Amino acid sequence: MNRRVPDNALNLPTLADVARAAGVSTATVSRCLNSPSQVQESTRERVLAAVMALGYSPNFGARALAARRTGTIGAIIPTMENAIFARAIQAFQEELHLSGVTLLVASSSYSPQNEADQIRTLVARGADALLLIGHDRDPGIYAFLEQRGVPVLVSWAFDPAQARPAIGFDNRRAMAALAKEVLRLGHQRVGMISALAEGNDRARDRISGVRDALRDHGLDPTALHLIEIPYSIANGAEAMAKLMALPARPTAVICGNDVLAVGALQMARKLGLRVPADVSITGFDDIELATVVDPALTTVHVPHREMGREAARLLVAMVGGAGSPPPVCLETEFCPRGTLAAPSA
Amino acid sequence: MNRRVPDNALNLPTLADVARAAGVSTATVSRCLNSPSQVQESTRERVLAAVMALGYSPNFGARALAARRTGTIGAIIPTMENAIFARAIQAFQEELHLSGVTLLVASSSYSPQNEADQIRTLVARGADALLLIGHDRDPGIYAFLEQRGVPVLVSWAFDPAQARPAIGFDNRRAMAALAKEVLRLGHQRVGMISALAEGNDRARDRISGVRDALRDHGLDPTALHLIEIPYSIANGAEAMAKLMALPARPTAVICGNDVLAVGALQMARKLGLRVPADVSITGFDDIELATVVDPALTTVHVPHREMGREAARLLVAMVGGAGSPPPVCLETEFCPRGTLAAPSA
DNA sequence: TGAAAATATGTAAGCGCTTACATTTGTCTC
DNA sequence: GAGACAAATGTAAGCGCTTACATATTTTCA
């Protein structure tokens, strides 16, 4: 018995089997599958018939080994649990699919350590390129990716100071625009509930945006009541309770994203506060959740789909050897709905 | 110039480089990485030092080719856009991670054709096993997977009539229990908004569950006002509008899941109907959305996390050659909240 | 103390595919 | 109809790793 044939071997057909059945060389079969135009039609038909007849399907590992790429792009998002990233990732995947690329998604749970692990895992998994959220991470990671020759695209952030390929929006400016609307209505005591700023440039930029607006309105930016807390509805509610217990209660609470805002809204209701009559609340992202609550959330619309789709195009081009594209900045839009109004006198 | 060294080669270190640096054979290096206990500690240290020094990381394709498995498990879910599957998939992934297995997620958009494509793609991508949602699909697909030797676990459904490995819950019984509560409160005219039943055994079972309960209460199960429509908040709202326009308006609307129910709730509000005073609405799944709306949704709690975690354990065992486990049925729980009450006289 | 058993390491044959280069065949051009 | 060129196909060398089996070394214990 041949030592190379374990008892449980499935003996799936190989390229060689197809070649034999079609009476051609393995190279021709390979070409039929990868660049059909190089093969004469009559031959191609014969080969494809053999492929069908044998139920052949290429071995992934062998193909990856020989071709030196896997046709896989990885994305690491902070969380899959809420919808913040879902829409963009869905669009990202759909667009990748058009190019025959498979998406591998991992989540970091907003932990830099975790993210670093996931990056290594995805690269080890043969990801040809990576989509990451935000610029903020250990420079060693960028060095590692560079050394391995893995192109990276940063999304969700646009920072002209960063030269690496990125597609995102200006979190700071977008949040400043929203905060300006809040202040324009006459709010003087403003609270903010943000994600943890540590290792999260989007959160940091949004905080800076609020401070910018305060400053522009002649208010003291350091007087902002800021609570940093991981994203979750429950955390948003908890933070809101704290803000509402303040001696000088804020009349408006700006939230770092819609998830926190929905939690805040829930808590306001629970505390018997009317929104927006007693307190205004704003979100950021414009996920579906924002329109489901009552009143619907005043927020900032982020073009998630467009970002996902364009990210896919850029990455496919980068894998194809297109070099580094310049950073792209998409526009966000202030989205007035039902949770923001002038403070009651 | 050697024809095998393209100009842009990265020349990453290989196993052989590590072996040379550590003064051992490639087999020893491989063992250090895959079954460290087989290697003497002193040797292991030397090898690992070399690995670090060179920045070595195994080539995925080569490993997959030689080992005949990729350490990847695929999951195909109907959608990533809403949170229905998010929690289970998150738990699934976390548990897989503990076994060093990577998860590949694809979504079918509730299209059987699409799902079949995705299954083929994932298998072609080297998935060692697959997690699928529900039993309902072309038998040819099961035959294909069997032929390729890819273990499959069905989730989200438990059907004692199906012998294949599965972990889920009894959609029919769970929905019947909820419907029973609705009927017990005295509702006589019941409407239902469901996902499309075609190719979706979960949806079908839930409908059957409602009919079971009607029958048990001496009502005519065929008199159920049923609207089938793809899952989305907007669709739920639209279906609700239709139901509310019926001459004999239902006093209770049972929704196939929370997403539809939230849409229905929105529409009720828009139509000026009080919930539950004027009309009761129920959901299914108990996703986060259910507790965010006001009033909170009466629904059925599904142990998503547990299902995901256990699915991962079962699949890892199956890949390990454990054979087919028997189907597992998890318990669901009726979740009374604010959208169900007795009909107003 | 020596043979058997256990442990540690080495050797080298593939795994199934892609692709550079070689060869064959077909098509023009003058 | 010979020579030049293009198109189609074949040949075979790896890609980097795992692992069956061989060999060397250490331990065990009668």
Side-chain angles (χ1 to χ4, degrees), chain B residues 3 24-25 27-28 31 39-40 43 65-66:
Chain B
R3 73 180 227 212
V24 298
S25 72
T28 298
R31 281 188 285 253
V39 178
Q40 199 171 298
T43 314
L65 178 57

Side-chain angles (χ1 to χ4, degrees), chain B residues 21-254:
Chain B
V24 298
S25 72
T26 60
T28 298
V29 178
S30 176
R31 281 188 285 253
C32 266
L33 268 29
N34 299 306
S35 43
S37 67
Q38 282 183 40
V39 178
Q40 199 171 298
E41 175 145 5
S42 59
T43 314
R44 195 162 60 218
E45 278 168 6
R46 201 148 33 94
V47 170
L48 293 181
V51 166
M52 292 300 277
L54 296 174
Y56 169 77
S57 150
N59 176 294
F60 178 66
R63 193 203 277 258
L65 178 57
R68 302 160 145 279
R69 62 195 153 60
T70 56
T72 298
I73 283 181
I76 294 156
I77 57 179
T79 178
M80 287 168 142
E81 291 242 19
N82 62 48
I84 306 177
F85 300 98
R87 227 173 354 176
I89 288 294
Q90 175 84 29
F92 185 62
Q93 199 219 42
E94 285 167 6
E95 189 71 26
L96 287 180
H97 189 68
L98 298 181
S99 306
V101 173
T102 302
L103 173 63
L104 257 173
V105 188
S107 64
S108 67
S109 309
Y110 285 99
S111 146
Q113 176 56 55
N114 227 320
E115 195 204 33
D117 287 350
Q118 298 282 15
I119 289 173
R120 273 165 215 285
T121 302
L122 286 184
V123 170
R125 237 63 223 183
D128 294 332
L130 246 41
L131 178 75
L132 300 176
I133 308 294
H135 286 281
D136 235 32
R137 56 182 57 79
D138 187 327
I141 293 178
Y142 290 113
F144 166 75
L145 291 170
E146 168 123 40
Q147 180 231 325
R148 315 278 317 176
V150 178
V152 183
L153 179 66
V154 161
S155 61
W156 244 268
F158 174 79
D159 178 351
Q162 304 278 3
R164 73 176 63 88
I167 179 162
F169 48 94
D170 190 327
N171 284 280
R172 183 169 183 164
R173 194 154 53 79
M175 186 56 112
L178 176 141
K180 203 161 289 180
E181 295 290 333
V182 171
L183 299 174
R184 203 173 49 74
L185 288 170
H187 289 277
Q188 301 268 335
R189 295 192 308 280
V190 175
M192 179 165 188
I193 308 176
S194 166
L196 302 177
E198 167 87 34
N200 183 335
D201 47 358
R202 288 93 61 213
R204 223 165 34 235
D205 287 351
R206 292 178 196 176
I207 294 171
S208 302
V210 173
R211 294 218 156 100
D212 289 349
L214 287 169
R215 201 175 297 112
D216 285 358
H217 266 254
L219 296 169
D220 177 9
T222 63
L224 176 69
H225 282 297
L226 172 66
I227 297 185
E228 290 183 21
I229 202 162
Y231 283 139
S232 87
I233 292 182
N235 282 343
E238 191 184 313
M240 184 67 174
K242 280 192 195 137
L243 285 179
M244 293 300 100
L246 249 31
R249 201 172 77 193
T251 58
V253 174
I254 294 177

